[in-house]
Amino acid sequence: MNTITSYLPQAPCSSISVSGGIRAESQLLAQAQSPGRLSALRWMEMALVLIPAFCLLSGAYAQEWGVTLAPGPLAGGTGSCVTIPCSFTYPAGRTVSAVTWTWDRDQTIHHLAEVHVHAAYKGRARYLGDLQHNCSLWVAGLRPGDQDTYGFRFHAAGDGRTDSWTSDLVQQLSVSAHPCQPALGRRMEPEPSLTCSMGAACPHRPSWYNRDGTRWSPGQTLGGTGATELQISLSQLDAGVALRCQVDGYRDECDSDESQPLGTVTPNVPRVEVLWPAGKAALRGGDGFTLRCQAAALQPVAGYIWSRGDVWLPGAGQDLRVEKAAVSDGGSYACGVWVSGPSWGYLSLSARADAPTGVRIKAVPGISPQEGESVTLTCSYTSSLPTPNSYTWYRGGQQLEGSRQEMVLKSTTAEQAGEYRCQADNGIGQSLSPCINITITSPSCAGSRVHPRTYSSVCPVAAGGADRRHSLE
C-alpha cells in the first residue's frame, strides 16, 4: 500500500467564485457558525446538499487529493449535537474503499468495522457522507470530553494499488455548557424544596412533571431568573419515584435518542450500598462507614443527592462518607441520581435504606421440642434495606456463638431451654426481636414433663411485642 504524504493546499472545493445568487462556500460556512443563525438540522441539510453542490461548482472531482472542512472552530452545547461539514476529492479512475474519522488524531470515532470505534463514541457518531465526495460527520450527545480536534482519512484503489490519504487539516470543536440544560438544587428553609434552574441565556422556564408526564401540582412556584421551585417534603418522595424537569417551549432539533428527552421512560432506580469497615461485623459508635449510590443511568450522571430522614445532606457525591459515626448519624438514608440534557432533567430516587423492621424468631418444628429433638431458629424480618449481613443470638443475658440467620439447636437438652432473641444488622442499623421461650419436654410412661430452666429475664417485651430498633450502639 502506498501512502500519499504530501498535502495539496489548494483543494478543489476550497474556493468558489460565482454569481447569480449563489454565495461562496466560505460565506455560507461563516453564516452557519454565527450565533443563532442555523440550527443543528440546518447544519445537517447543508452538509448533505450544499457541499456536493460546492464541489460541482468549483470543478471538484478533479484529479487531485484533498479534504475540505469548515473554516474556523465549530461549537456546541453539552447534550446537543453538531455536524462537521466535509468534502474530499481524489484522482479520477479511483474507487474509495474505506473512510475513517478520528478524534484527538489517533482515536477512531467512525469506521466501517464497529469494533475499531472508540467506546465513548459508539452510538453517538454518525457518518452522513458516502464513498464518493461527501464526508460529513454528525456527533450527538456532546460531552465536555468531546472538545478536541477531528480528522478524516480515506483509502482509494486504482491502477492496481490502494492509496491512503490523511488530511493535514483538522476540525476544532469546542463544547460548552448548554444554556437550557437544567441544574438541580435543594434547600430546607423555609421548607423542603427542589429547584430546577436554567442558565441566564436560556429564554425559557422549566416546569416539574411526574413520571407519567403530568405537571406536578400544587407547590410549584417560580424562583429567580430561569428557575422553578418545587416545594415538596421528603416524605412525599416514595421509593423509586422519578421527577422530570422540562423546559417549556424549547425544541431540541437534534434528531437523536442521545439528545432527546427521556419522555416517560423510567430511569434505572438507584440503590444504596453499605461499605463496611474492614474486619467489622457490625457498626458501632465511632466507626466510619460509606454509603454508595449505585445506578445504571441512561445518560452520564450529572449529580447525586442524599437525604437522611427528612433532611437533605449537602456536599455528597456518589459516595456519602461518615468518618466517626454517632447516634445522630443513624436513621434512614436515600439517594437520588440526576441526569440531564438540553431542556430536560430527571431525578430518580432510591428506596430508603433503613434498619430492619418486623424482626421475629421462628421456631421449627415448634417452641416445645421433646428432649433429643432438634429445633431450627430463624431470625426473620419484614423489611430491610439493605439486606441484613449480620445476626446476633442471645439466650437469657448471654450472647451465643454464631452470626448467621439460622441457629440450630441439635439434640436438645434441658440446658438449652430458655428465652431466645435475635438481632438483625444491615449496616444502617440494628433491630432486636421479641423473646420466645423454648421449653424442653421429656417423654415418660406417665406422660411428658417440662424441664424448667432458671434464668434472669432480659427481654423488654413479651413475645409479640414491639421491636427494639436502634441505629448505632
Side-chain angles (χ1 to χ4, degrees), residues 2 5 11 23-24 51 55 104 117-118 148 175 177 264 266 268 280 301 315 343 399 414-416 432 449 473:
N2 296 322
T5 57
R23 289 172 289 176
I51 286 182
C55 293
D104 194 24
V117 176
H118 192 282
D148 214 308
V175 181
T264 58
T266 304
N268 291 289
K280 292 283 186 179
V301 175
S343 81
Q399 180 176 336
E415 297 298 317
Q416 292 174 299
L432 285 168
R449 59 190 178 87
E473 295 182 0

Side-chain angles (χ1 to χ4, degrees), residues 270-320:
R271 68 183 188 278
V272 177
E273 291 185 352
V274 182
L275 305 183
W276 287 77
K280 292 283 186 179
L283 188 64
R284 301 178 183 275
D287 290 339
F289 67 93
T290 300
L291 303 180
R292 175 164 295 169
C293 190
Q294 294 282 28
L298 299 178
Q299 297 277 336
V301 175
Y304 297 88
I305 60 173
W306 286 88
S307 66
R308 183 183 65 244
D310 284 336
V311 178
W312 293 117
L313 301 177
Q318 184 179 12
D319 289 351
L320 176 64

Side-chain angles (χ1 to χ4, degrees), residues 346-361:
Y346 254 111
L347 176 64
S348 182
L349 294 173
S350 72
R352 289 196 169 276
D354 203 352
T357 62
V359 178
R360 296 288 187 276
I361 297 178

Side-chain angles (χ1 to χ4, degrees), residues 202-422:
C202 182
H204 308 285
R205 279 189 175 274
S207 296
W208 286 98
Y209 295 86
N210 289 317
R211 183 197 306 270
D212 60 4
T214 59
R215 187 186 294 265
W216 187 283
S217 180
Q220 186 168 197
T221 60
L222 296 179
T225 302
T228 298
E229 189 171 309
L230 179 65
Q231 296 175 358
I232 184 171
S233 170
L234 286 171
S235 61
Q236 295 176 262
L237 300 177
D238 297 329
V241 71
L243 296 175
R244 178 165 61 95
C245 177
Q246 185 72 43
V247 180
D248 298 324
Y250 178 90
R251 180 175 179 269
D252 189 351
E253 295 182 325
C254 292
D255 184 22
S256 169
D257 292 339
E258 288 282 343
S259 304
Q260 291 295 331
L262 297 179
T264 58
V265 175
T266 304
N268 291 289
V269 177
R271 68 183 188 278
V272 177
E273 291 185 352
V274 182
L275 305 183
W276 287 77
K280 292 283 186 179
L283 188 64
R284 301 178 183 275
D287 290 339
F289 67 93
T290 300
L291 303 180
R292 175 164 295 169
C293 190
Q294 294 282 28
L298 299 178
Q299 297 277 336
V301 175
Y304 297 88
I305 60 173
W306 286 88
S307 66
R308 183 183 65 244
D310 284 336
V311 178
W312 293 117
L313 301 177
Q318 184 179 12
D319 289 351
L320 176 64
R321 174 68 183 169
V322 176
E323 295 297 338
K324 293 184 178 181
V327 173
S328 59
D329 293 312
S332 61
Y333 287 81
C335 72
V337 174
W338 175 254
V339 294
S340 64
S343 81
W344 61 268
Y346 254 111
L347 176 64
S348 182
L349 294 173
S350 72
R352 289 196 169 276
D354 203 352
T357 62
V359 178
R360 296 288 187 276
I361 297 178
K362 296 180 180 179
V364 177
I367 61 174
S368 300
Q370 289 188 358
E371 188 172 20
E373 290 183 340
S374 295
V375 177
T376 299
L377 304 181
T378 302
C379 191
S380 63
Y381 55 90
T382 302
S383 64
S384 178
L385 189 66
T387 301
N389 59 352
S390 178
Y391 297 87
T392 306
W393 288 90
Y394 300 91
R395 183 178 68 233
Q398 300 296 318
Q399 180 176 336
L400 303 177
E401 294 183 359
S403 59
R404 296 187 176 184
Q405 188 176 9
E406 290 186 349
M407 172 173 285
V408 179
L409 305 180
K410 297 180 178 180
S411 302
T412 55
T413 65
E415 297 298 317
Q416 292 174 299
E419 288 185 343
Y420 285 79
R421 61 174 178 164
C422 69

Side-chain angles (χ1 to χ4, degrees), residues 50-90:
L50 295 184
I51 286 182
F54 293 156
C55 293
L56 286 171
L57 289 170
S58 63
Y61 311 161
Q63 297 183 8
E64 295 180 341
W65 298 88
V67 173
T68 301
L69 299 170
L74 299 177
T78 54
S80 64
C81 57
V82 66
T83 297
I84 303 176
C86 173
S87 65
F88 65 105
T89 59
Y90 47 90

Side-chain angles (χ1 to χ4, degrees), residues 102-107 148-151:
T102 60
W103 163 76
D104 194 24
R105 297 188 181 274
D106 59 356
Q107 301 294 329
D148 214 308
T149 56
Y150 293 75

